[in-house]
Amino acid sequence: MTPGWVVRRIGFSVLVAVVLAFFAVPMLWLAGAPFDARPGFGLRWPEWTLSNVHATLRHPFALRSLVNSLVLCLVATAVTTAFAALAAYALSRVRIPGRDALLYLLLLLSSVVTGTAAMVPLFVLMLQLGLIDSRFGTALAIAGGMLPAAIFILKDFVDAVPRSYEESARVFGASPRQVLGHVVLPIARPGIATILVWSFVNAWGNFLLPFLLLRDVGKQPAAVLMRTLQDEGGSADLTVIPVFSLLYSIPVVVLYLVVSKRYGFRFHGGIKS
Amino acid sequence: MAGIDVTGLSTVYPNGVRAVDALDLRVTDGELFALLGPSGCGKTTLLRTIAGLEPPATGTVAIGSRDVTALPPGRRGVAMVFQDYALFPHMTVAENIAYPLRVRRAPKERQREAAADVARGLSLSALLDRRPGQLSGGQQQRAALGRAVAAGADVLLLDEPLSNLDARLRLEARTFLKRLQHDLALTTVFVTHDQAEALALADRIAVMEAGRIRQLGTPREVFQRPGDTFVANFIGSTPMNLVDGRVRDGRVECAGARLPCPPGLAEGTPVVVGVRPEYLSVADDGITGRVAAVENLGVSSLVTLDCPDGTLISLTVPEQDEPALGRSLTVTAAPGRLLFYDAQDGRLLDG
Amino acid sequence: MPSRAAERDPAGIGTARAIGFVAPALLLIGVFLVFPALWTLYIGITDYRLTGPAAADPRVVGADNFTTALRDPLFGNSLWLTALFVLGSAVVGQNALGFALAWLLRRVRTGLRRTVEGFVLLAWILPGPVVAYLWFAVLSRDGGTLGLLLDRPGTAWLVQYPMASLIVFNTWRGTAFSLLLYTSALAAVPPSHLETARLAGASGWQTVRDAVFPHIRGHVLTNTLLISLWTANDFTPFLLTAGGPNHESEVLPVLIYRQALESGRLGYASAMSSLLLVGNLVVALVYLRLLRGRA
């Protein structure tokens, strides 16, 4: 243990501590403020109380917006997963004419056409279709945005499944439906689970599209309501917002814990790494 | 029970490669038949075309007396074991074995019985509740065989059945496979790139190259009298000596020696002389060369002779007779073991 | 040989059914991605407005919107701020922090590594609006954490230093992706190369430069392009500063939103969106080119 080694060791520990603090300290507010009798933006030891929770649950729009979020998310997630699974399987297994061009186009679309770049036409499109304030329409728009990436991530999974499984089932007389039901779906389950979680987390946090397309406060999901709560009186309502933030965060945090526990947080980006 | 008749079969890939090229083949009932060849020779494609997994461009496949060319794989009465076994990872061994019955919607009870029955014959009874991932390579192979047996098919197709096993296990599995096939008397076609495997297992072998059959025969025929230089090169764990020679004065001159000539060859004809290292032995008269290398093969040793004209000749000698390096040695072929091939097209010249 | 065979149809679903499988996804993608992208280009050459006469009957005005944009100081300002935002928070911030963490956490005890990774990932997956509030708290004038730490209570960071705040915020928010990507890239560096460097007595920095970087050059490029693209299109700055004060943090996505929905100039906003689309397209094409080159 030379002095140089000790210095390096200490430097290293300090560095890791600073990084840890950088990432962790902002989150402390989420642990303290919801249960503080005098909630503020400052970081302090709270005077514990549950009155904020009661206030939030009584808020006219808080719970409703969480339900809206759930509806929006479930529709978008279900549509994304089902459509992406079908498309990824067909694109992985069958040489449809023009497949390679289609895949290239999808890859381009998934990164080029962002909600930001397409916000005006999306808004005008929904306006003219009369789908402003339609939760179902908004969910479809969110799904449309997630589909290219979802197809790519899933196609990677399906590509990795040996074709001999399906061929084997076919040799033993399975019909296409049986091949899908007995073999492909069960084997692709981890990939489908990944897409379910991925699209849920994405849709749950999506702010821009619902913000653009859902103007009626009674139909807004939690993401947009948080903004509305702040704008209402010019300054933020700090009895409701911290508890609401916490409630709104719980589903993604739970999903994240489940995923990292079961699979470990691996790298699925549709990107070869 | 049924034989297989393949007539004029061609399989062409979308990129235009003719993987199987106008091929005729007859596998008789109850036979254990090997398709042998280097990778890319079309043997796996032929197997897959028989199974119905690849559509043929031309030609027909018949199983028994039934033309199955237009039938989907599941209705041809074939069972297949894939190279990677393709055991479904989410099913237990029992469920895997009973899968062919599940497809036909057999009652659950019947599926269980069939799995138990088949498993007994393959000593898998203790493993029925395991998943494929929990099995050793040999056990996986037997489970895959079990599934194929449970299908009750007329024909069993095996794609490189032993290639995923390690060397030691492979010998065991080979014996097992041979006994199983004998007991079931099931028409069986297997694909392999390993000539030793084909020789050891098969009743008959088709040696393939570039989508065509180069030679068809029993292991003995293929080993002792390769039909052409390609087969001669491919078969045998130590490669056959193939030496250029020429007919002169009624003898064949090669590697500095004058060998007896088969009848009917004109003066000056170029030939290729072939002889297996195992069929050469030390003698007073014959090909002479200096010992350039000695490789220990266990029971025997492989000796490489450097002849005066630069050709290399190898022969095997018993372990106790290893010659010293640099020594001069004269060798001759056992009677009838000297083969002559046409120098142009490589065909065996019948003598 | 098996790879060629694999191009066929192992499940026997057939081309017609396969097209049926792909169709629903393509329909949604067509309606909500392709069509809007093309329509942006069209709206961009009209004087379409949210309200008023031009709302009912927009006229084609050609390249007017584009020339207006190029002369508009607000557009120039937002381009500059966007460049600053991308450079500071993505190219430098997330990239460097992500790599440094991936490199440092390699040999740390599993528990500690999991903890650090856990927080970094949490910052990534928490919903945007929640994250915005967390940073309101950090940067707040009334007892915000940063003010306490730097002993400057009463500093309204988001008002006095809006761009710097956004850059630090976005580094915090997005480092997870770089960390994940670099962790998997570093795992693929052959240990023998690192050991060779160690045997030669290389310092930590020399090891990174000579033994590690040549292996992960492609990943660095990939990562930089992707996070730049995402950062340039990120709408979260709107939640923190809404472009203020006085346009000082009005990055392009925020400008587009405010021009379109607050000022109602849909045609003008679309012209700027088109420019963003073209920028995205260029980056994506470069990225795909690199991917192909490596494959």
Side-chain angles (χ1 to χ4, degrees):
Chain A
M1 278 203 284
T2 61
W5 185 84
V6 172
V7 168
R8 272 209 300 279
R9 217 46 232 164
I10 291 175
F12 180 78
S13 305
V14 169
L15 194 65
V16 171
V18 167
V19 169
L20 197 56
F22 174 58
F23 281 97
V25 164
M27 293 172 194
L28 292 178
W29 186 75
L30 210 49
F35 310 105
D36 192 340
R38 288 186 293 123
F41 278 134
L43 190 63
R44 62 189 205 108
W45 189 252
E47 296 166 30
W48 298 104
T49 172
L50 284 178
S51 66
N52 298 332
V53 178
H54 295 307
T56 308
L57 295 183
R58 276 196 310 272
H59 188 278
F61 295 113
L63 285 187
R64 199 197 297 184
S65 80
L66 284 172
V67 173
N68 286 338
S69 274
L70 208 60
V71 170
L72 210 59
C73 251
L74 288 181
V75 174
T77 303
V79 168
T80 305
T81 309
F83 287 11
L86 285 173
Y89 182 72
L91 289 172
S92 168
R93 293 305 201 233
V94 185
R95 199 162 242 305
I96 300 169
R99 182 182 71 169
D100 292 343
L102 184 66
L103 285 172
Y104 189 78
L105 197 71
L106 281 180
L107 201 54
L108 266 186
L109 280 176
S110 65
S111 46
V112 172
V113 187
T114 55
T116 320
M119 69 170 105
V120 176
L122 271 177
F123 177 78
V124 177
L125 176 71
M126 298 305 246
L127 191 67
Q128 299 198 341
L129 290 176
L131 288 178
I132 295 291
D133 283 337
S134 154
R135 275 164 295 190
F136 189 68
T138 308
L140 286 185
I142 294 175
M146 296 194 295
L147 266 171
I151 291 174
F152 264 93
I153 301 174
L154 260 181
K155 184 172 169 289
D156 265 7
F157 270 99
V158 183
D159 282 346
V161 176
R163 284 144 174 88
S164 54
Y165 289 141
E166 290 135 273
E167 292 179 339
S168 184
R170 261 177 90 204
V171 168
F172 294 122
S175 65
R177 187 187 297 272
Q178 284 176 317
V179 174
L180 290 182
H182 294 169
V183 180
V184 178
L185 273 179
I187 292 178
R189 198 149 44 191
I192 291 175
T194 303
I195 286 302
L196 273 174
V197 171
W198 176 85
S199 50
F200 187 90
V201 170
N202 260 316
W204 189 255
N206 193 321
F207 168 76
L208 180 60
L209 286 182
F211 180 58
L212 278 174
L213 304 177
L214 297 173
R215 295 290 173 176
D216 175 356
V217 75
K219 291 186 172 156
Q220 284 172 350
V224 183
L225 186 75
M226 287 200 63
R227 177 87 199 159
T228 314
L229 288 176
Q230 182 192 355
D231 284 346
E232 261 173 0
S235 68
D237 177 358
L238 286 180
T239 49
V240 173
I241 286 173
V243 178
F244 188 68
S245 299
L246 195 62
L247 288 177
Y248 176 33
S249 302
I250 284 172
V252 280
V253 174
V254 168
L255 270 180
Y256 161 68
L257 290 176
V258 170
V259 168
S260 57
K261 182 137 198 143
R262 273 194 70 169
Y263 303 104
F265 213 95
R266 269 169 308 153
F267 196 76
H268 299 305
I271 306 148
K272 300 275 187 279
S273 48
Chain B
M1 292 297 147
I4 304 169
D5 279 291
V6 170
T7 319
L9 192 76
S10 294
T11 306
V12 184
Y13 282 113
N15 58 8
V17 172
R18 296 180 82 82
V20 176
D21 193 5
L23 188 139
D24 297 306
L25 177 66
R26 197 186 152 72
V27 180
T28 54
D29 186 15
E31 191 175 23
L32 179 52
F33 192 91
L35 296 172
L36 171 68
S39 67
C41 72
K43 57 191 188 297
T44 297
T45 308
L46 175 57
L47 192 79
R48 291 169 56 88
T49 313
I50 295 173
L53 293 169
E54 303 286 341
T58 58
T60 58
V61 177
I63 292 174
S65 50
R66 197 162 60 118
D67 182 349
V68 297
T69 318
L71 293 183
R75 294 179 41 203
R76 294 183 169 208
V78 300
M80 184 161 168
V81 175
F82 288 77
Q83 188 172 3
D84 60 3
Y85 310 137
L87 289 169
F88 305 130
H90 57 290
M91 298 183 192
T92 62
V93 169
E95 287 166 338
N96 263 294
I97 293 178
Y99 185 70
L101 286 88
R102 180 175 166 200
V103 167
R104 288 173 224 148
R105 302 197 169 78
K108 281 259 159 26
E109 193 48 40
R110 170 89 197 79
Q111 291 183 28
R112 250 195 305 279
E113 281 167 20
D117 259 8
V118 171
R120 208 169 308 120
L122 295 162
S123 10
L124 285 169
S125 299
L127 306 172
L128 279 174
D129 294 326
R130 301 243 189 122
R131 303 262 160 145
Q134 300 164 304
L135 301 182
S136 72
Q139 292 165 341
Q140 288 185 18
Q141 194 220 23
R142 274 184 281 143
L145 278 169
R147 184 172 59 178
V149 169
D154 302 326
V155 167
L156 180 59
L157 305 175
L158 311 169
D159 188 3
E160 299 273 6
L162 304 174
S163 69
N164 270 352
L165 302 174
D166 52 42
R168 208 172 174 81
L169 207 52
R170 203 172 295 175
L171 285 182
E172 232 173 81
R174 203 163 80 182
T175 314
F176 178 84
L177 194 60
K178 188 142 187 167
R179 279 186 49 195
L180 179 74
Q181 196 272 340
H182 183 81
D183 293 347
L184 297 171
L186 198 59
T187 310
T188 304
V189 179
F190 73 100
V191 155
T192 179
H193 64 275
D194 181 350
Q195 52 86 27
E197 201 173 294
L199 291 175
L201 270 176
D203 297 327
R204 280 198 307 153
I205 300 173
V207 185
M208 289 185 65
E209 195 231 5
R212 291 166 179 270
I213 293 178
R214 295 300 282 261
Q215 187 174 5
L216 193 117
T218 63
R220 193 174 305 275
E221 286 163 1
V222 174
F223 183 79
Q224 295 185 346
R225 292 184 68 79
D228 58 28
T229 47
F230 172 81
V231 179
N233 249 321
F234 196 74
I235 301 274
S237 36
T238 50
M240 186 188 259
N241 296 299
L242 290 170
V243 184
D244 288 329
R246 191 172 286 276
V247 179
R248 190 148 296 159
D249 302 335
R251 311 279 283 179
V252 173
E253 279 186 353
C254 107
R258 290 174 59 75
L259 307 171
C261 179
L265 284 184
E267 176 76 10
T269 315
V271 293
V272 174
V273 179
V275 61
R276 291 207 175 277
E278 293 85 352
Y279 296 150
L280 283 173
S281 53
V282 181
D284 300 331
D285 184 31
I287 302 172
T288 304
R290 236 163 239 299
V291 176
V294 178
E295 295 160 58
N296 192 327
L297 302 180
V299 183
S300 59
S301 290
L302 184 68
V303 176
T304 305
L305 297 181
D306 191 356
C307 299
D309 64 346
T311 32
L312 296 177
I313 300 279
S314 45
L315 74 150
T316 53
V317 298
E319 52 187 331
Q320 66 276 16
D321 293 350
E322 278 178 20
L325 272 181
R327 211 190 106 182
S328 177
L329 214 59
T330 302
V331 297
T332 191
R337 297 305 190 193
L338 215 48
L339 302 170
F340 297 92
Y341 295 94
D342 189 312
Q344 260 87 49
D345 62 9
R347 304 295 311 171
L348 181 64
L349 299 167
D350 282 311
Chain C
M1 186 170 39
S3 68
R4 243 186 290 129
E7 290 296 342
R8 303 286 179 96
D9 176 7
I13 53 177
T15 306
R17 216 177 319 192
I19 291 175
F21 280 11
V22 181
L26 286 190
L27 181 73
L28 273 194
I29 292 171
V31 172
F32 292 111
L33 282 182
V34 180
F35 175 66
L38 298 177
W39 208 13
T40 305
L41 303 179
Y42 174 72
I43 299 178
I45 57 165
T46 67
D47 64 351
Y48 195 30
R49 282 182 161 273
L50 195 53
T51 50
D57 183 24
R59 273 182 317 118
V60 173
V61 294
D64 279 9
N65 288 326
F66 292 90
T67 49
T68 314
L70 293 180
R71 277 199 303 270
D72 185 348
L74 281 182
F75 182 67
N77 170 57
S78 94
L79 275 189
W80 161 244
L81 292 178
T82 308
L84 213 61
F85 187 50
V86 168
L87 206 68
S89 70
V91 176
V92 177
Q94 297 178 6
N95 227 349
L97 191 57
F99 179 80
L101 278 178
W103 178 251
L104 292 177
L105 292 179
R106 249 174 344 133
R107 298 171 169 232
V108 168
R109 271 178 295 117
T110 320
L112 182 58
R113 198 186 67 223
R114 289 253 172 87
T115 311
V116 177
E117 276 179 357
F119 277 108
V120 177
L121 286 169
L122 203 55
W124 193 35
I125 59 158
L126 280 178
V130 171
V131 162
Y133 271 99
L134 295 183
W135 279 79
F136 282 146
V138 170
L139 301 172
S140 159
R141 185 205 303 263
D142 319 317
T145 318
L146 188 64
L148 292 179
L149 281 176
L150 298 184
D151 198 22
R152 285 180 59 181
T155 311
W157 302 94
L158 280 169
V159 177
Q160 288 179 27
Y161 308 100
M163 269 326 282
S165 301
L166 284 184
I167 287 171
V168 173
F169 160 78
N170 194 46
T171 305
W172 179 87
R173 170 85 162 144
T175 294
F177 181 80
S178 304
L179 171 62
L180 287 177
L181 194 143
Y182 285 135
T183 303
S184 70
L186 286 178
V189 175
S192 61
H193 288 220
L194 297 178
E195 280 153 12
T196 310
R198 257 178 71 199
L199 286 175
S203 69
W205 163 243
Q206 284 169 329
T207 308
V208 170
R209 190 191 57 195
D210 300 330
V212 176
F213 185 70
H215 278 284
I216 61 164
R217 195 175 309 169
H219 297 92
V220 175
L221 223 50
T222 301
N223 185 48
T224 309
L225 286 174
L226 284 177
I227 59 180
S228 299
L229 198 107
W230 295 335
T231 303
N233 287 272
D234 186 19
F235 195 64
T236 323
F238 179 81
L239 291 170
L240 274 169
T241 64
N246 191 26
H247 307 292
E248 271 178 54
S249 63
E250 198 172 52
V251 289
L252 197 51
V254 176
L255 176 69
I256 293 174
Y257 174 80
R258 293 183 70 178
Q259 288 293 334
L261 280 274
E262 286 175 13
S263 309
R265 300 166 72 186
L266 294 177
Y268 185 46
S270 274
M272 293 190 288
S273 297
S274 307
L275 295 175
L276 182 60
L277 270 177
V278 171
N280 288 348
L281 186 67
V282 170
V283 176
L285 284 175
V286 171
Y287 168 62
L288 288 183
R289 220 198 164 106
L290 289 173
L291 269 193
R292 282 213 168 167
R294 261 198 289 153

